[in-house]
């Protein structure tokens, strides 16, 4: 499947919510990494961030928004191909 010229639409309110969450995570994780480098944060601090900010649930929602858009706008065959590509990702704890 040629993905370079394809477009998938996401409702603007959902796209903005996804962007807000991703922005919060990127900025916060960058700050945490800087604090770790300075010695003022440790792995526990990162774990607290993940728990307190409900990162797992919010990232799952981001994935859901994108998946729904793909599922509704692409064929079953195309979605299966994308699923296979996602399974090839790098996962913590593998290997």
């Amino acid at each position: 499947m040629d993905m370079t010229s394809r477009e998938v639409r996401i409702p603007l309110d959902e796209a903005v919510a996804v962007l807000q969450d991703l922005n919060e995570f990127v900025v916060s994780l960058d700050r945490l990494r800087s604090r770790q480098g300075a010695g003022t944060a440790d792995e526990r601090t990162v774990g607290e961030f993940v728990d307190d900010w409900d990162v797992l649930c919010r990232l799952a929602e981001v994935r859901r928004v994108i998946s729904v858009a793909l599922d509704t706008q692409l064929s079953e065959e195309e979605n299966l191909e994308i699923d296979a590509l996602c399974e090839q990702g790098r996962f913590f704890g593998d290997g």
Side-chain angles (χ1 to χ4, degrees), residues 4 8 32 39-40 45 57 62-63 69:
T4 57
V8 174
L32 282 166
T40 60
T45 308
C57 184
V62 167
R63 181 178 61 184

Side-chain angles (χ1 to χ4, degrees), residues 48-92:
E48 288 174 359
F49 164 72
V50 169
D51 289 340
D52 292 348
W53 288 53
D54 204 15
V55 172
L56 179 60
C57 184
R58 290 169 65 190
L59 285 173
E61 177 61 14
V62 167
R63 181 178 61 184
R64 187 200 66 78
V65 166
I66 295 169
S67 292
V68 166
L70 294 173
D71 287 345
T72 59
Q73 297 174 53
L74 300 178
S75 71
E76 183 176 349
E77 181 180 293
E78 291 169 320
N79 277 299
L80 288 173
E81 188 174 338
I82 291 169
D83 289 346
L85 289 171
C86 289
E87 289 298 319
Q88 296 173 14
R90 292 180 14 192
F91 302 99
F92 182 81

Side-chain angles (χ1 to χ4, degrees), residues 2-31:
D2 178 22
M3 290 188 254
T4 57
S5 62
R6 300 287 301 268
E7 290 185 17
V8 174
R9 295 183 183 273
I10 298 174
L12 182 58
D13 62 335
E14 292 182 15
V16 170
V18 163
L19 187 58
Q20 287 173 318
D21 280 347
L22 293 175
N23 188 55
E24 286 181 17
F25 298 147
V26 170
V27 171
S28 297
L29 289 169
D30 182 58
R31 288 178 181 172

